[in-house]
Amino acid sequence: EAPDGPPVANRPLSAAEAYQPYRKPSQGAKWPLDPTDWWSEGKVPEMQPELMPASLRDYILHESETIGADRGIMALYVLGFAAGALSDSHVLQVKPDTPRWQESARLWLMVCGSSASKKSPAIKEVRGPAWKLELAMRQRSIKDVERWTEESEIYAKQREAYISAAAKGNSTAAPEKPRPPNRERMLIGNATVESLADVLAENPRGVVNVMDEIVSILKGMGQYKKGGNDKEAFLMGYDGGPMPID
Protein backbone atom coordinates (compact mmCIF):
# COMPACT_ATOMS: atom_id res chain seq x y z
CA GLU A 1 0.00 0.00 0.00
CA ALA A 2 1.12 3.58 -0.67
CA PRO A 3 2.24 5.57 2.39
CA ASP A 4 -0.26 7.98 3.88
CA GLY A 5 0.09 11.65 2.97
CA PRO A 6 1.92 13.33 0.10
CA PRO A 7 5.56 12.47 -0.71
CA VAL A 8 8.10 14.33 1.38
CA ALA A 9 9.52 16.10 -1.69
CA ASN A 10 6.14 17.68 -2.49
CA ARG A 11 5.37 19.24 0.87
CA PRO A 12 7.25 21.51 3.31
CA LEU A 13 9.32 19.77 5.96
CA SER A 14 8.36 20.30 9.55
CA ALA A 15 11.04 21.30 12.03
CA ALA A 16 10.87 17.85 13.62
CA GLU A 17 11.42 16.15 10.27
CA ALA A 18 14.21 18.50 9.20
CA TYR A 19 16.29 18.10 12.35
CA GLN A 20 15.53 14.44 13.03
CA PRO A 21 18.76 12.44 13.33
CA TYR A 22 19.50 9.70 10.83
CA ARG A 23 18.29 6.26 11.82
CA LYS A 24 19.52 3.10 10.16
CA PRO A 25 16.58 1.27 8.53
CA SER A 26 15.61 -2.04 10.00
CA GLN A 27 16.65 -5.21 8.22
CA GLY A 28 14.31 -6.09 5.41
CA ALA A 29 12.98 -2.53 5.06
CA LYS A 30 11.83 -1.58 1.56
CA TRP A 31 12.23 1.62 -0.40
CA PRO A 32 9.16 3.91 -0.40
CA LEU A 33 6.94 3.79 -3.46
CA ASP A 34 7.60 7.50 -4.09
CA PRO A 35 11.36 8.18 -3.88
CA THR A 36 12.55 11.65 -2.93
CA ASP A 37 12.93 14.05 -5.85
CA TRP A 38 16.17 15.90 -5.10
CA TRP A 39 15.53 18.44 -7.87
CA SER A 40 12.12 19.52 -6.59
CA GLU A 41 11.64 22.91 -4.92
CA GLY A 42 11.37 21.75 -1.35
CA LYS A 43 11.05 24.20 1.51
CA VAL A 44 13.33 24.06 4.52
CA PRO A 45 12.35 25.46 7.93
CA GLU A 46 13.13 29.12 8.53
CA MET A 47 16.27 29.73 10.56
CA GLN A 48 15.32 30.55 14.13
CA PRO A 49 16.86 33.58 15.91
CA GLU A 50 18.15 31.49 18.82
CA LEU A 51 20.46 29.68 16.38
CA MET A 52 22.24 32.92 15.46
CA PRO A 53 25.20 34.41 17.37
CA ALA A 54 23.88 36.93 19.87
CA SER A 55 26.29 39.66 18.71
CA LEU A 56 25.06 39.39 15.10
CA ARG A 57 21.41 38.49 15.62
CA ASP A 58 19.89 41.98 15.47
CA TYR A 59 21.80 42.87 12.30
CA ILE A 60 20.83 39.61 10.57
CA LEU A 61 17.15 39.95 11.43
CA HIS A 62 16.97 43.64 10.53
CA GLU A 63 18.77 43.37 7.19
CA SER A 64 17.00 40.19 6.09
CA GLU A 65 13.64 41.86 6.75
CA THR A 66 14.71 45.09 5.01
CA ILE A 67 16.04 43.33 1.91
CA GLY A 68 13.40 40.63 1.86
CA ALA A 69 15.96 37.83 1.94
CA ASP A 70 15.77 34.60 3.87
CA ARG A 71 17.24 34.73 7.37
CA GLY A 72 19.40 31.73 6.64
CA ILE A 73 20.95 33.36 3.57
CA MET A 74 21.76 36.56 5.46
CA ALA A 75 23.12 34.62 8.45
CA LEU A 76 25.37 32.56 6.19
CA TYR A 77 26.88 35.64 4.57
CA VAL A 78 27.38 37.41 7.89
CA LEU A 79 29.08 34.39 9.47
CA GLY A 80 31.35 34.02 6.45
CA PHE A 81 32.59 37.60 6.51
CA ALA A 82 32.87 37.57 10.31
CA ALA A 83 35.06 34.47 10.13
CA GLY A 84 37.18 36.13 7.45
CA ALA A 85 37.67 39.23 9.60
CA LEU A 86 38.99 37.08 12.46
CA SER A 87 42.72 36.38 12.22
CA ASP A 88 43.74 32.81 11.51
CA SER A 89 46.04 33.02 14.52
CA HIS A 90 42.99 32.71 16.80
CA VAL A 91 42.37 29.00 17.26
CA LEU A 92 40.16 26.83 19.43
CA GLN A 93 41.55 23.74 21.12
CA VAL A 94 38.78 21.18 20.76
CA LYS A 95 39.71 18.91 23.66
CA PRO A 96 41.90 19.54 26.73
CA ASP A 97 44.04 16.45 26.13
CA THR A 98 44.58 17.06 22.39
CA PRO A 99 46.72 20.23 22.11
CA ARG A 100 47.43 19.57 18.43
CA TRP A 101 43.76 19.48 17.51
CA GLN A 102 43.04 23.14 16.93
CA GLU A 103 40.43 24.75 14.70
CA SER A 104 40.34 28.30 13.36
CA ALA A 105 37.39 30.30 12.04
CA ARG A 106 37.68 28.92 8.50
CA LEU A 107 34.33 28.45 6.78
CA TRP A 108 33.44 27.19 3.31
CA LEU A 109 29.93 28.39 2.59
CA MET A 110 27.62 28.18 -0.41
CA VAL A 111 24.13 29.61 -0.89
CA CYS A 112 21.75 27.93 -3.31
CA GLY A 113 18.56 29.70 -4.31
CA SER A 114 16.53 31.07 -7.17
CA SER A 115 17.01 34.55 -8.60
CA ALA A 116 14.09 35.70 -6.45
CA SER A 117 15.79 34.71 -3.19
CA LYS A 118 17.64 38.08 -3.00
CA LYS A 119 21.09 36.47 -2.80
CA SER A 120 22.82 39.34 -4.62
CA PRO A 121 21.32 42.21 -2.54
CA ALA A 122 22.09 40.28 0.65
CA ILE A 123 25.75 39.66 -0.12
CA LYS A 124 26.15 43.22 -1.40
CA GLU A 125 24.95 44.55 1.95
CA VAL A 126 27.19 42.27 3.99
CA ARG A 127 30.20 42.81 1.75
CA GLY A 128 30.02 46.60 2.18
CA PRO A 129 32.04 46.88 5.44
CA ALA A 130 34.56 44.31 4.22
CA TRP A 131 35.04 46.26 0.99
CA LYS A 132 35.78 49.43 2.98
CA LEU A 133 38.48 47.52 4.88
CA GLU A 134 39.86 46.24 1.58
CA LEU A 135 40.10 49.75 0.15
CA ALA A 136 41.81 51.05 3.30
CA MET A 137 44.34 48.20 3.12
CA ARG A 138 45.05 48.98 -0.53
CA GLN A 139 45.67 52.63 0.25
CA ARG A 140 48.11 51.67 3.01
CA SER A 141 49.84 49.26 0.64
CA ILE A 142 50.26 51.98 -1.99
CA LYS A 143 51.92 54.27 0.56
CA ASP A 144 54.11 51.43 1.84
CA VAL A 145 55.29 50.64 -1.70
CA GLU A 146 56.06 54.31 -2.36
CA ARG A 147 58.09 54.52 0.85
CA TRP A 148 59.89 51.26 0.02
CA THR A 149 60.73 52.57 -3.48
CA GLU A 150 62.32 55.69 -2.03
CA GLU A 151 64.24 53.65 0.53
CA SER A 152 65.44 51.30 -2.22
CA GLU A 153 66.78 54.22 -4.25
CA ILE A 154 68.66 55.51 -1.20
CA TYR A 155 69.97 52.00 -0.52
CA ALA A 156 71.26 51.68 -4.10
CA LYS A 157 73.30 54.87 -3.71
CA GLN A 158 74.57 53.82 -0.28
CA ARG A 159 75.59 50.40 -1.59
CA GLU A 160 77.43 51.98 -4.52
CA ALA A 161 79.35 54.20 -2.10
CA TYR A 162 80.04 51.20 0.15
CA ILE A 163 81.48 49.16 -2.72
CA SER A 164 83.60 52.10 -3.86
CA ALA A 165 84.94 52.62 -0.35
CA ALA A 166 85.68 48.92 0.08
CA ALA A 167 87.63 48.91 -3.19
CA LYS A 168 89.84 51.67 -1.80
CA GLY A 169 90.44 49.75 1.39
CA ASN A 170 88.16 51.84 3.54
CA SER A 171 86.11 49.82 6.00
CA THR A 172 82.53 51.04 6.49
CA ALA A 173 79.30 49.42 7.64
CA ALA A 174 77.31 47.81 4.86
CA PRO A 175 73.91 49.45 4.27
CA GLU A 176 70.83 47.45 5.17
CA LYS A 177 68.60 46.53 2.26
CA PRO A 178 64.97 47.58 2.85
CA ARG A 179 62.45 44.76 2.89
CA PRO A 180 59.53 44.99 0.47
CA PRO A 181 56.20 45.58 2.25
CA ASN A 182 53.40 43.07 2.41
CA ARG A 183 50.34 43.92 0.34
CA GLU A 184 47.46 43.74 2.79
CA ARG A 185 44.27 42.15 1.49
CA MET A 186 40.83 41.40 2.86
CA LEU A 187 38.85 40.28 -0.19
CA ILE A 188 39.85 38.24 -3.21
CA GLY A 189 37.96 36.67 -6.10
CA ASN A 190 38.59 34.45 -9.13
CA ALA A 191 42.05 33.64 -7.77
CA THR A 192 44.14 30.76 -9.08
CA VAL A 193 45.88 28.45 -6.63
CA GLU A 194 49.22 30.06 -7.48
CA SER A 195 48.02 33.63 -6.99
CA LEU A 196 46.18 32.61 -3.82
CA ALA A 197 49.44 31.22 -2.43
CA ASP A 198 51.16 34.57 -3.02
CA VAL A 199 48.31 36.48 -1.35
CA LEU A 200 48.26 34.21 1.71
CA ALA A 201 52.04 34.39 2.04
CA GLU A 202 51.66 38.16 2.57
CA ASN A 203 48.44 37.84 4.60
CA PRO A 204 48.82 34.94 7.06
CA ARG A 205 45.81 36.22 8.97
CA GLY A 206 43.64 34.98 6.09
CA VAL A 207 41.39 36.49 3.42
CA VAL A 208 37.80 36.13 2.20
CA ASN A 209 37.36 34.55 -1.22
CA VAL A 210 34.02 35.78 -2.60
CA MET A 211 32.64 33.98 -5.64
CA ASP A 212 29.30 35.06 -7.08
CA GLU A 213 28.92 31.72 -8.86
CA ILE A 214 30.25 28.38 -7.60
CA VAL A 215 30.83 27.33 -11.21
CA SER A 216 33.69 29.86 -11.33
CA ILE A 217 35.74 27.66 -9.00
CA LEU A 218 34.87 24.47 -10.86
CA LYS A 219 35.69 25.89 -14.29
CA GLY A 220 38.86 27.57 -13.03
CA MET A 221 40.45 24.35 -11.79
CA GLY A 222 43.38 23.48 -14.04
CA GLN A 223 42.52 26.38 -16.35
CA TYR A 224 46.11 27.35 -17.10
CA LYS A 225 47.72 23.92 -17.07
CA LYS A 226 47.02 20.52 -18.51
CA GLY A 227 45.32 18.39 -15.91
CA GLY A 228 46.62 20.34 -12.95
CA ASN A 229 46.11 19.70 -9.26
CA ASP A 230 43.84 22.60 -8.28
CA LYS A 231 41.22 20.22 -6.89
CA GLU A 232 43.76 18.55 -4.63
CA ALA A 233 45.06 21.95 -3.49
CA PHE A 234 41.58 23.10 -2.49
CA LEU A 235 40.95 19.84 -0.64
CA MET A 236 44.23 20.25 1.26
CA GLY A 237 43.33 23.85 2.06
CA TYR A 238 39.96 22.88 3.52
CA ASP A 239 41.43 22.53 7.00
CA GLY A 240 44.10 25.19 6.47
CA GLY A 241 47.69 24.96 7.58
CA PRO A 242 50.90 25.25 5.55
CA MET A 243 50.81 24.06 1.95
CA PRO A 244 54.00 24.42 -0.13
CA ILE A 245 53.46 25.15 -3.83
CA ASP A 246 56.52 24.67 -6.07
Side-chain angles (χ1 to χ4, degrees):
E1 297 181 0
D4 296 334
V8 173
N10 297 330
R11 62 178 174 83
L13 295 175
S14 65
E17 291 173 326
Y19 298 107
Q20 185 175 7
Y22 170 77
R23 295 178 181 177
K24 185 177 181 180
S26 59
Q27 188 175 5
K30 298 181 180 180
W31 288 98
L33 297 180
D34 296 313
T36 301
D37 182 7
W38 297 106
W39 305 109
S40 64
E41 295 185 1
K43 183 178 180 181
V44 297
E46 188 177 37
M47 188 174 188
Q48 300 303 313
E50 57 269 18
L51 300 177
M52 306 174 189
S55 58
L56 304 174
R57 184 181 301 138
D58 291 342
Y59 174 77
I60 294 173
L61 295 177
H62 178 269
E63 295 302 328
S64 60
E65 182 178 356
T66 301
I67 297 173
D70 182 82
R71 293 177 180 175
I73 291 178
M74 182 62 68
L76 209 65
Y77 288 147
V78 171
L79 288 175
F81 281 98
L86 186 62
S87 175
D88 202 54
S89 61
H90 297 283
V91 295
L92 176 67
Q93 183 174 321
V94 181
K95 292 184 177 181
D97 56 344
T98 55
R100 294 186 180 181
W101 184 4
Q102 298 177 345
E103 300 290 345
S104 60
R106 183 180 297 102
L107 300 179
W108 296 71
L109 307 172
M110 180 177 66
V111 172
C112 297
S114 64
S115 56
S117 60
K118 305 294 183 65
K119 301 188 303 295
S120 296
I123 195 172
K124 183 179 180 181
E125 162 61 31
V126 181
R127 182 166 43 188
W131 182 244
K132 290 182 179 180
L133 289 175
E134 170 72 14
L135 292 178
M137 290 178 176
R138 293 190 181 189
Q139 292 298 324
R140 285 199 300 268
S141 296
I142 291 175
K143 294 180 180 180
D144 290 342
V145 170
E146 291 176 349
R147 183 171 57 253
W148 173 73
T149 302
E150 295 177 357
E151 293 175 351
S152 297
E153 294 175 353
I154 296 174
Y155 165 77
K157 295 179 180 179
Q158 291 176 342
R159 178 171 174 77
E160 183 179 352
Y162 167 76
I163 295 176
S164 177
K168 297 178 181 179
N170 298 327
S171 178
T172 58
E176 183 177 354
K177 186 177 181 179
R179 296 181 59 183
N182 290 336
R183 293 167 295 179
E184 290 185 286
R185 299 293 302 276
M186 174 70 181
L187 301 177
I188 62 171
N190 297 320
T192 63
V193 172
E194 292 77 13
S195 63
L196 182 58
D198 293 336
V199 171
L200 291 178
E202 295 184 316
N203 297 270
R205 61 174 307 281
V207 294
V208 181
N209 189 7
V210 183
M211 310 290 291
D212 290 333
E213 300 292 341
I214 189 63
V215 71
S216 300
I217 295 181
L218 302 179
K219 284 187 175 181
M221 291 185 177
Q223 183 177 3
Y224 301 105
K225 47 193 174 184
K226 296 182 179 179
N229 60 346
D230 288 355
K231 179 180 179 181
E232 291 78 4
F234 275 105
L235 290 175
M236 290 178 61
Y238 181 81
D239 289 327
M243 183 176 62
I245 297 179
D246 299 320

